[in-house]
Every structure is written in C-alpha cells, then in structure tokens.
Amino acid sequence: QVQLVESGGGVVQAGDSLRLSCVVSGGAVASYAMAWFRQGSGKEREFLATISRNTEDKFYGDSVKGRFTISRDNRKNTIFLQMARLKPEDTGIYFCAARLFRIAPAADQYDMWGQGTQVTVSP
C-alpha cells in the first residue's frame, strides 16, 4: 500500500521561505506523477504544482507561480515544495498527492494522498 507523508510545515512570517517534503513509501515514486495542493479554512482544495515522473514537465497554479518550486528526488522517494515570499493567504493545510503516469491539475484526478502538513503565515 502506497503511503505519502508530508513534513516541513510550521508558523512563519510574511516574506519568509519554507520547504515542504513528501516521502513516498510502499511504491516506487518514479512510477507516479506528483502534485501539491493546499486547503485553507473553509475553502476548496487548491492546486499548487505538479511534476512529471522524469521531472521534465512542471506546472503551477496561478497563485503560486514564480514563488513556489516543485522538485523530486526519485532515488529518495521524496517530493519537495520550495516556497518563497510567503503571504498570509498561503496559510492552509498542504497535501501531496500521487497518480500513476501522467500529471494532472485537478484534485479529483489523484487517488493517493498524504495527511497534510499545516503552514501558517502571519502578517
């Protein structure tokens, strides 16, 4: 059974940087397209970034484009989300997700999810 475990969340100030990690176990991460989503309080789950299996393709949501960077290390079965110039509106629970083969920008296209890690950005 594939498991995804996020880490790296915390409380930061506006303008700070933070790096999230997602470790995949129970399966070879090289088989999966990976993505990051977040969910703010009372909001729908929002697409942030996705990366293809061989890292050649990356796509970002408009709200994080130019500030967040997704990457992966298939040897370590780990996905990263480097976040820069954080804003209070970036506050939320951050989830990593996996699906076989091709990248996709919508939450309902992913069938494997982690439990999430909380990121809080204070003004």
Side-chain angles (χ1 to χ4, degrees):
Q1 182 176 354
V2 175
Q3 290 189 319
L4 287 66
V5 179
E6 303 94 336
S7 63
V11 180
V12 297
Q13 292 186 325
D16 285 352
S17 298
L18 201 61
R19 188 175 83 155
L20 306 182
S21 301
C22 172
V23 176
V24 180
S25 61
V29 72
S31 299
Y32 305 113
M34 301 295 298
W36 287 95
F37 292 80
R38 74 179 170 210
Q39 190 159 17
S41 180
K43 298 181 180 179
E44 293 186 356
R45 198 160 291 193
E46 177 188 8
F47 167 74
L48 301 179
T50 184
I51 185 168
S52 61
R53 292 180 293 160
N54 61 7
T55 76
E56 287 188 357
D57 295 318
K58 301 177 185 179
F59 295 98
Y60 297 90
D62 289 342
S63 64
V64 303
K65 202 173 295 182
R67 297 189 300 124
F68 290 13
T69 303
I70 190 170
S71 61
R72 65 192 296 160
D73 185 342
N74 287 345
R75 296 169 301 172
K76 297 182 179 179
N77 271 10
T78 304
I79 311 301
F80 304 98
L81 186 68
Q82 180 68 48
M83 306 185 291
R85 302 191 301 280
L86 283 161
K87 307 174 183 179
E89 50 264 45
D90 293 319
T91 294
I93 302 174
Y94 283 66
F95 300 90
C96 69
R99 70 189 301 266
L100 282 172
F101 308 129
R102 286 191 252 178
I103 57 175
D108 60 6
Q109 294 172 298
Y110 289 82
D111 48 11
M112 290 168 276
W113 292 85
Q115 294 295 312
T117 185
Q118 175 72 42
V119 173
T120 302
V121 184
S122 60

